Amino acid sequence: MAKMAKIIIDGKTYEVDSSKNLLETILSLKLNLQYFCWHPAMGSVGACRQCAVKKYRDENDKAGKLFMACMEPVVDGMRVSIEDPEAKEFRAGVIEWLMTNHPHDCPVCDEGGECHLQDMTLMSGHNYRRFRYKKRTYRNQYLGPFLHHEMNRCIQCYRCVRFYRDYAGGDDLNVFGVHSSVYFGRHEDGVLENEFAGNLVEVCPTGVFTDNTLFQHYTRKWDLTSAPSVCVHCGVGCNTLAGERYGKLRRILTRYNGQVNGYFLCDRGRFGYEFVNSEKRIRKPMLRLSGENRLSEADEETAITEISAIIKSSRKVMGIGSPRASLEANFTLRSLVSERNFYWGVPEQEFSLLTKEMNILRQGSIRTPSLREIEKCDVVVILGEDLTNTAPMIALAVRQSVRQVPVQSATPYKIPHWQDAAVRELVQDEKGPVFVATPYATKLDSVARTFRGSADEIARLGYAIAGAISSDAPKADNLNEEVCVLSESISKALNKAERPLIIAGQSLKSEAIVNAAANIAYAMRKAGKNVELCYTVPECNSMGMVMMGGKALDQAFHAVEKEAMDTLIIMENDLFRRDEKQAVDRFLKRFKNIIVLDYIENATTERATAIIPVGSFAESDGTFVNNEGRAQRFYQVFVPNKEIKESWRWVRNIMVTSGMKEFSRWKNLLDYTQALIKEMPYFTGIDTITPPPGFRIAGRKIPREPYRYSGRTAMHADKTVHEPKPPEDVDSPMSFTMEGYRGQPPSSLIPFFWSPGWNSAQAINKYQIEVGGPLHGGDPGKRLIEPLPNAKPSYFTDVPKAFAPREGEWMLVPVYHIFGSDELSVHSPGVRELVPKPYIMLSPDDAARLQVTSDSELELGIGGQVERLPVKINLGLRPGLAGYPVTLPGMSVVRFPVSVKISGVKK
Amino acid sequence: MFSNLRSIWIAFLHMFHKRETIQYPEEKIYLPPRWRGRIILSRDPDGQERCVACYLCQVACPVGCISLQATQDETGRRYPEFFRINFSRCIFCGYCEEACPTYSIQLTPDYEMSEFHRENMVYEKEDLLISGEGKYHGYNFYRVSGLAIGGKDKGEGIEDLPPVDVRSIRPDK
Ligand code: SF4
Ligand code: SF4
Ligand code: SF4
Ligand code: SF4
Ligand code: FES
């Protein structure tokens, strides 16, 4: 429990936490005070002089002195005044100085309406420009497809460089120049390299860095219809706010969740949303009418009758579910085709590895941390995961954990940890222990001690670490010098740690790695140590998929070989991304009818005999389970054309029409969720992570639109002057209008952050119990996986053999890309620009031996086919290994492990 | 009785007063330029669209009868892709004109807007945009804003100093 202190602010006494600074305390008390440079996740530097308050020595001190609230520790008996006229004048004065050079830009500035500088200026009371001289100007830079740069608007708060460099570990953004003309940008024009650069949109309190994707279809914050959502671009499950106008999704912002992503998102999550507006969206049902070979558009009723007829006349219907569809959608399809005929559209290998991860967490005694808890870990061991590309926000969290140990050195000097500049000065380059074992060099290497090797060698290192911690753990034999030394020092670091963490996953398709990570944790537990274990998962509902359990794609392939089936229903899944083309082709040929429910055209929809347009995350409701086992609800943002419906609603309507009348009871999402829980009790509680559809506050719904939402009587007037009735939402207590309850909604229903006087994202302060802490009413979501304290799992023993390269053969290792490996985000034009071209990754030694350079092309025999791929050289890769970028557009799908021969070289 | 007779007498006297009836439409009343009638979008002194698609008129409108979408040309100049006023909803309060930071949107002394079909009261940008500056002469928003657009580079605004040379360490740069 933190030490409490009594302080007096403007004559009123408050009891507060004494570990915080005065500014945080004031904001936590929901009082208003201006600030710029302080950021709740980054601490104080006292750079902007905006947060001045009066501090008095004692009750007799009437004059007091000005202090910066963000630099003042809270002490018992402290007396301060925010309202003191001198303090107010000082704050207004500081703004007036900042404004001397500020451009006359608000009307054309994308920050306008959610600008912290506007808010603070208004709060300070400064309103007329007295300065009669000219303004300083700057040239802007091209910073890539995601960020728009307008340097004239800068107020030199230094937040951007502090976030980019200190927090996110980037090094291509900096401050240049001297005295009154400092410049925040790159050394030259170019794409910002850091994967978290998009956060500058929210970190920068002005319009210097704004969202370039929003710029292309600009809408003010007050005109967006928004809903709480969950990112669909990886398995971390970051919380997002998605906003729509005129039927198009306009942008994604961070939805603060104190347990998950906090104040930030990765760029894939923030800018990947534009697939929702893609030209390739499926908007109408497509049917093959009798006697025709082509698909043609049909209306909803025809589609339902036709498809129901197909299903009724089929002897056997097989259903293929998807880890990118919600629990409810998968469950409904499973109800239609029966459990026996329901298969998950992921390869057996991935499915069983994920199942293994889940079982280790569910049946063992090891806890898996939330994203925010990862930041608090002091020693991190990463086995086989290129986190920046497979689970970006976990990489960002690991970067914060690096500071846990060094920051402690500030304590003896009595420097509070929120004193960011002072602590950094003291810590210098010192980093806490992080170990990264991956086949190729990764971005996290810059803060870690690294190990390079094949998946098996990484697993052997894992086993060696476990062996070094506890003598009864199975050991790897024939360890080389490097592994011996490294495993010793890792085990020492782990033993010393207060809160150690092991991170692994299935991305290298290696069971041994998943097992080895568990063994380290088990060994730590045997040795009586505290330890946590985090597994990454590839997709937004991968964990939900394995929790539901069932059979994988390979079994579906076998099933059709054995028994004739005539109809296949594939839901939100492109099978051609899942397995080799020939295998999928052979499978699909077995069916007379292929009904595909999806939102975007892909190789699978091309093979469909009927296509049903379903809602993407922005057009549907549902529940996802993230890698931590946290069930999170996402909400529909807007209602597109009437044919686009949630997968589960379509499937249910088809069921009802084809005679399964009992399903007509399922009316809103809650009915589906409750039916799911009834059948799978381990999902108990997911129906209460958010209030039921009937929930009202003072008899009112929660509006998705702010009360300034505008243009309602003109936006549809080009089509009809009779304003259409707004759509109704039967699935949630939210309305698609601006009417409803104006106060703060429950934490799982926050459609946007806003508070009087706080129009920017900084309004989050008002939604938290205390600054940086949980939201009022607790952070949303429910953890479904908790460790069993008394479980005594036994060690895994499958220690792999050491890897020996074979002459003339290369072992492929999967390589991941934050922009490129994800199915949906590559349809966004901005992301698309950053997707690498197909390539093969070679080690410098092999490249030298083959006499190839980065301009050369290699001819490889993969799966009976010959592929020509340009070479990329990765300094970390070991000889005998070749990196193969998986699911990158233009690359074929292969089954790992696989070795290839090089059949030709073009220099 | 007496008051009735008095009323008739007063009405009778009016026959000899000056006529107030105007022979509309042949004859028209004088309306001052600030009269709040049909809304137009004006152009800046260079003949370019004044509207910068800031959405302020849209949000100021109490009946929500303005709707637009921002876009920009290749030089970064922002303008409305479409701009729509539903005059069948407009109450001619003039808040939009008050909110407009560029003098683009202006109310005019024209009130002859009756239509048989409400659809015809929906005006798009083509119907709204006039070729002149309207009531307010001389103002050009882009000349005072910090944005660079076609024909006006950084530092060329009325209020601007030339762009900073970031690589210089001289205090006068
Ligand atoms: S940064 Fe804020 S104050 Fe400055 S021009 Fe943009 S909206 Fe206006
Ligand atoms: S660019 Fe933005 S975040 Fe950076 S110093 Fe300027 S105002 Fe602050
Ligand atoms: S880390 Fe994953 S879930 Fe989070 S924003 Fe990025 S892609 Fe989305
Ligand atoms: S307020 Fe003026 S500049 Fe802004 S959108 Fe309306 S007409 Fe255009
Ligand atoms: S917030 Fe306190 S000085 Fe900037």
Side-chain angles (χ1 to χ4, degrees):
Chain A
M1 190 59 213
K3 241 178 65 213
M4 299 308 273
K6 273 210 173 71
I7 63 168
I8 302 168
I9 303 175
D10 286 318
K12 262 179 94 178
T13 310
Y14 300 91
E15 196 157 334
V16 298
D17 175 353
S18 67
S19 67
K20 300 273 162 72
N21 64 52
L22 184 58
L23 174 61
E24 274 178 282
T25 306
I26 287 172
L27 295 172
S28 294
L29 292 169
K30 309 291 175 259
L31 303 171
N32 288 340
L33 176 60
Q34 297 105 277
Y35 63 86
F36 286 119
C37 64
W38 170 82
H39 186 284
M42 295 188 284
S44 318
V45 289
C48 70
R49 317 319 277 171
Q50 186 50 232
C51 60
V53 292
K54 265 282 177 70
K55 193 172 107 177
Y56 304 93
R57 246 177 298 126
D58 48 43
E59 66 265 45
N60 302 321
D61 180 4
K62 292 282 177 280
K65 268 186 175 172
L66 285 177
F67 281 87
M68 294 306 130
C70 69
M71 301 300 278
E72 280 306 292
V74 165
V75 272
D76 202 27
M78 196 173 196
R79 288 161 183 277
V80 293
S81 167
I82 304 171
E83 296 303 328
D84 177 83
E86 221 182 318
K88 280 172 99 169
E89 197 190 314
F90 181 88
R91 296 195 298 261
V94 170
I95 291 258
E96 190 169 5
W97 286 329
L98 292 176
M99 284 298 178
T100 56
N101 281 312
H102 203 71
H104 185 61
D105 267 4
C106 298
V108 286
C109 176
D110 286 5
E111 198 81 356
E114 50 183 322
C115 175
H116 189 55
L117 177 57
Q118 282 181 334
D119 288 349
M120 296 298 101
T121 308
L122 219 65
M123 201 180 282
S124 79
H126 163 66
N127 39 21
Y128 282 100
R129 181 179 172 82
R130 292 186 293 172
F131 187 74
R132 290 285 165 232
Y133 302 94
K134 294 204 162 186
K135 297 175 181 181
R136 174 192 63 207
T137 61
Y138 295 99
R139 293 201 178 279
N140 303 328
Q141 286 180 327
Y142 167 77
L143 298 175
F146 299 145
L147 288 179
H148 192 78
H149 194 218
E150 192 57 51
M151 239 326 272
N152 286 351
R153 299 171 188 153
C154 177
I155 56 163
Q156 302 85 37
C157 70
Y158 282 70
R159 267 185 173 194
C160 51
V161 283
R162 290 176 59 220
F163 172 78
Y164 198 86
R165 305 182 70 86
D166 301 344
Y167 196 91
D171 58 8
D172 62 329
L173 182 97
N174 215 333
V175 48
F176 302 93
V178 285
H179 54 87
S180 64
S181 49
V182 290
Y183 189 87
F184 296 83
R186 292 183 40 133
H187 67 293
E188 60 182 19
D189 284 27
V191 180
L192 282 172
E193 285 160 13
N194 195 275
E195 293 76 11
F196 307 96
N199 291 305
L200 294 179
V201 171
E202 285 172 81
V203 166
C204 175
T206 73
V208 175
F209 297 103
T210 50
D211 181 339
N212 191 39
T213 65
L214 174 66
F215 178 81
Q216 305 302 335
H217 42 222
Y218 185 64
T219 306
R220 297 244 179 247
K221 178 180 181 178
W222 64 65
D223 281 333
L224 290 171
T225 307
S226 307
S229 196
V230 174
C231 179
V232 293
H233 301 291
C234 89
V236 177
C238 296
N239 291 200
T240 57
L241 295 171
E244 172 265 1
R245 175 98 176 161
Y246 299 132
K248 259 192 177 174
L249 200 59
R250 302 279 160 150
R251 70 136 168 231
I252 296 286
L253 279 188
T254 312
R255 174 161 62 104
Y256 178 89
N257 184 323
Q259 280 303 304
V260 189
N261 51 316
Y263 294 91
F264 306 116
L265 289 178
C266 82
D267 286 3
R268 184 200 271 182
R270 186 183 296 272
F271 301 114
Y273 70 92
E274 283 189 283
F275 75 90
V276 175
N277 308 331
S278 164
E279 294 280 303
K280 292 169 113 186
R281 272 304 292 277
I282 301 163
R283 302 196 175 270
K284 296 266 172 199
M286 304 283 281
L287 294 178
R288 183 183 287 170
L289 302 175
S290 56
E292 279 205 44
N293 235 343
R294 284 181 330 111
L295 296 189
S296 38
E297 264 180 30
D299 61 15
E300 189 186 340
E301 290 69 36
T302 328
I304 291 193
T305 4
E306 287 283 321
I307 291 170
S308 306
I310 294 176
I311 288 173
K312 262 201 281 191
S313 64
S314 303
R315 272 174 302 130
K316 265 263 151 85
V317 186
M318 180 189 266
I320 303 270
S322 167
R324 74 165 145 94
S326 64
L327 290 177
E328 290 83 357
N330 283 303
F331 175 69
T332 315
L333 180 62
R334 185 170 166 275
S335 309
L336 167 66
V337 297
S338 85
E339 190 183 347
R340 200 176 105 75
N341 296 322
F342 181 76
Y343 298 84
W344 292 98
V346 298
E348 170 68 31
Q349 183 183 44
E350 179 180 325
F351 190 78
S352 60
L353 283 175
L354 289 169
T355 307
K356 179 140 219 180
E357 293 181 2
M358 174 194 66
N359 285 337
I360 290 169
L361 297 179
R362 229 156 127 196
Q363 294 158 7
S365 56
I366 315 288
R367 188 172 179 279
T368 187
S370 73
L371 193 54
R372 282 306 276 288
E373 286 162 344
I374 295 177
E375 295 176 3
K376 301 272 153 8
C377 293
D378 51 359
V379 175
V380 183
V381 179
I382 301 164
L383 293 185
E385 285 294 308
D386 171 7
L387 288 178
T388 314
N389 291 306
T390 58
M393 282 297 284
I394 298 187
L396 189 64
V398 169
R399 281 190 186 274
Q400 310 321 310
S401 69
V402 169
R403 278 173 51 77
Q404 290 304 315
V405 175
V407 160
Q408 299 309 325
S409 59
T411 314
Y413 297 97
K414 299 210 168 51
I415 304 175
H417 293 181
W418 45 258
Q419 275 276 15
D420 193 52
V423 173
R424 279 183 201 277
E425 201 58 42
L426 186 72
V427 165
Q428 295 289 325
D429 274 345
E430 200 193 320
K431 294 186 177 74
V434 172
F435 303 91
V436 172
T438 47
Y440 54 94
T442 70
K443 279 233 172 152
L444 265 188
D445 294 358
S446 59
V447 294
R449 222 173 123 185
T450 57
F451 172 79
R452 294 282 108 88
S454 67
D456 283 353
E457 284 173 290
I458 292 167
R460 282 165 61 81
L461 172 70
Y463 275 106
I465 300 168
I469 291 168
S470 173
S471 53
D472 60 345
K475 291 188 185 51
D477 47 6
N478 298 329
L479 292 176
N480 64 24
E481 178 74 24
E482 186 197 355
V483 176
C484 287
V485 174
L486 188 60
S487 58
E488 264 316 307
S489 67
I490 296 180
S491 67
K492 275 212 195 88
L494 285 173
N495 277 329
K496 269 213 313 227
E498 302 218 336
R499 193 160 182 186
L501 169 67
I502 320 296
I503 301 179
Q506 55 82 53
S507 70
L508 292 182
K509 311 289 170 206
S510 158
E511 187 177 352
I513 290 183
V514 173
N515 292 346
N519 267 21
I520 302 178
Y522 295 162
M524 291 283 289
R525 198 30 74 75
K526 273 258 167 69
K529 302 273 183 213
N530 185 19
V531 66
E532 286 171 303
L533 179 60
C534 165
Y535 285 117
T536 67
V537 302
E539 281 165 84
C540 54
N541 204 17
S542 291
M543 191 53 94
M545 163 180 82
V546 287
M547 285 186 77
M548 280 177 76
K551 294 165 282 186
L553 195 56
D554 302 40
Q555 276 118 310
F557 290 180
H558 290 306
V560 278
E561 299 291 334
K562 273 200 285 192
E563 121 185 76
M565 307 227 180
D566 34 20
T567 300
L568 176 66
I569 307 179
I570 305 174
M571 191 178 69
E572 303 185 33
N573 207 334
D574 178 7
L575 297 186
F576 288 94
R577 288 175 60 90
R578 306 290 183 178
D579 208 335
E580 293 172 342
K581 186 166 179 306
Q582 303 95 301
V584 180
D585 271 332
R586 194 161 358 111
F587 173 64
L588 294 182
K589 282 219 180 79
R590 293 275 178 167
F591 295 93
K592 199 166 95 219
N593 309 302
I594 301 172
I595 302 163
V596 180
L597 295 90
D598 215 331
Y599 27 85
I600 203 141
E601 286 168 17
N602 55 40
T604 305
T605 59
E606 264 170 43
R607 302 289 299 274
T609 57
I611 304 178
I612 297 174
V614 297
S616 67
F617 74 94
E619 297 130 344
S620 40
D621 292 73
T623 312
F624 290 145
V625 184
N626 77 351
N627 72 314
E628 176 204 351
R630 180 182 296 268
Q632 307 193 94
R633 175 84 146 76
F634 61 96
Y635 289 88
Q636 180 162 20
V637 183
F638 66 110
V639 181
N641 53 320
K642 99 181 209 311
E643 288 85 358
I644 298 185
K645 286 194 161 56
E646 298 91 341
S647 294
W648 40 267
R649 190 155 269 143
W650 266 107
V651 174
R652 174 256 187 203
N653 291 351
I654 292 169
M655 286 201 277
V656 172
T657 317
S658 57
M660 302 154 98
K661 289 281 181 266
E662 65 273 28
F663 292 102
S664 55
R665 281 192 328 252
W666 292 3
K667 295 218 162 56
N668 61 39
L669 185 75
L670 190 61
D671 301 330
Y672 294 69
T673 316
Q674 281 169 346
L676 167 79
I677 294 173
K678 215 157 153 208
E679 202 157 314
M680 304 174 188
Y682 38 86
F683 284 113
T684 304
I686 63 167
D687 52 340
T688 52
I689 51 182
T690 186
F695 173 84
R696 298 287 181 274
I697 302 179
R700 316 179 81 186
K701 289 190 156 202
I702 313 295
R704 281 178 171 86
E705 292 166 358
Y707 81 94
R708 288 179 189 147
Y709 190 85
S710 63
R712 291 205 297 181
T713 62
M715 55 195 296
H716 304 289
D718 54 333
K719 292 179 202 83
T720 163
V721 284
H722 310 284
E723 279 105 43
K725 180 170 176 271
E728 270 180 45
D729 188 354
V730 295
D731 302 309
S732 86
M734 284 196 284
S735 72
F736 288 107
T737 64
M738 56 198 268
E739 282 82 21
Y741 179 68
R742 290 259 169 265
Q744 284 189 15
S747 62
S748 60
L749 290 174
I750 299 171
F752 48 85
F753 290 104
W754 182 86
S755 180
W758 298 79
N759 297 290
S760 76
Q762 314 284 327
I764 293 173
N765 292 335
K766 305 279 181 193
Y767 286 74
Q768 296 160 327
I769 296 172
E770 57 168 18
V771 166
L775 295 167
H776 288 303
D779 289 314
K782 179 180 162 53
R783 275 170 65 102
L784 299 176
I785 300 180
E786 291 297 349
L788 308 170
N790 300 322
K792 295 238 164 358
S794 44
Y795 285 117
F796 295 103
T797 54
D798 65 333
V799 190
K801 295 256 167 326
F803 170 71
R806 269 186 284 172
E807 190 52 39
E809 257 191 31
W810 277 263
M811 170 93 138
L812 292 191
V813 291
V815 178
Y816 294 84
H817 286 280
I818 180 167
F819 306 121
S821 302
D822 167 54
E823 175 178 3
L824 301 172
S825 57
V826 297
H827 292 287
S828 307
V831 172
R832 187 87 210 185
E833 256 180 64
L834 301 184
V835 172
K837 298 242 159 21
Y839 69 92
I840 182 115
M841 187 192 278
L842 283 189
S843 70
D845 289 359
D846 285 340
R849 232 155 25 90
L850 292 167
Q851 297 182 325
V852 292
T853 61
S854 300
D855 314 319
S856 321
E857 267 190 14
L858 289 187
E859 234 176 57
L860 312 165
I862 297 176
Q865 278 178 333
V866 176
E867 279 196 37
R868 303 179 64 118
L869 292 170
V871 174
K872 259 193 200 171
I873 295 171
N874 185 291
L875 294 181
L877 205 64
R878 289 278 167 103
L881 299 177
Y884 191 82
V886 281
T887 56
L888 196 68
M891 300 287 295
S892 8
V893 180
V894 297
R895 291 182 183 168
F896 291 95
V898 58
S899 295
V900 295
K901 289 204 166 62
I902 292 175
S903 50
V905 177
K906 194 175 136 242
K907 299 226 168 80
Chain B
M1 181 63 199
F2 174 73
S3 93
N4 280 356
L5 286 175
R6 185 172 159 270
S7 304
I8 292 169
W9 178 243
I10 290 173
F12 175 78
L13 283 184
H14 269 282
M15 290 210 307
F16 308 101
H17 282 188
K18 184 171 165 277
R19 302 261 150 134
E20 289 293 347
T21 310
I22 286 174
Q23 292 307 312
Y24 181 84
E26 285 76 32
E27 215 180 302
K28 279 181 186 161
I29 195 168
Y30 168 76
L31 291 175
R34 279 169 53 187
W35 206 80
R36 299 199 309 264
R38 181 172 57 88
I39 300 173
I40 55 98
L41 293 176
S42 63
R43 291 178 188 271
D44 64 27
D46 301 336
Q48 303 271 5
E49 253 176 77
R50 254 184 183 152
C51 177
V52 300
C54 70
Y55 295 102
L56 289 181
C57 51
Q58 177 180 301
V59 71
C61 178
V63 293
C65 74
I66 304 178
S67 126
L68 65 132
Q69 174 59 51
T71 188
Q72 43 277 325
D73 68 13
E74 60 292 345
T75 68
R77 183 190 175 108
R78 190 162 260 176
Y79 67 95
E81 185 175 19
F82 72 82
F83 196 110
R84 182 181 309 131
I85 301 181
N86 180 355
F87 281 112
S88 72
R89 286 289 191 189
C90 180
I91 55 170
F92 300 96
C93 64
Y95 282 12
C96 51
E97 177 171 330
E98 195 129 311
C100 181
T102 68
Y103 290 137
S104 166
I105 197 163
Q106 301 178 14
L107 282 79
T108 65
D110 175 20
Y111 49 86
E112 294 168 314
M113 303 180 70
S114 318
E115 297 281 354
F116 287 107
H117 299 287
R118 268 179 72 196
E119 289 73 21
N120 298 339
M121 304 281 280
V122 178
Y123 282 35
E124 298 289 339
K125 193 165 96 177
E126 307 80 272
D127 314 317
L128 296 165
L129 191 61
I130 62 164
S131 52
E133 294 174 64
K135 291 181 277 188
Y136 309 106
H137 292 265
Y139 187 69
N140 185 336
F141 171 81
Y142 281 115
R143 295 276 154 211
V144 285
S145 105
L147 228 54
I149 52 154
K152 186 207 122 191
D153 198 3
K154 284 282 174 200
E156 291 177 7
I158 296 168
E159 305 269 355
D160 292 352
L161 292 169
V164 164
D165 176 4
V166 180
R167 290 184 164 75
S168 162
I169 52 165
R170 281 174 51 188
D172 59 336
K173 284 278 169 187

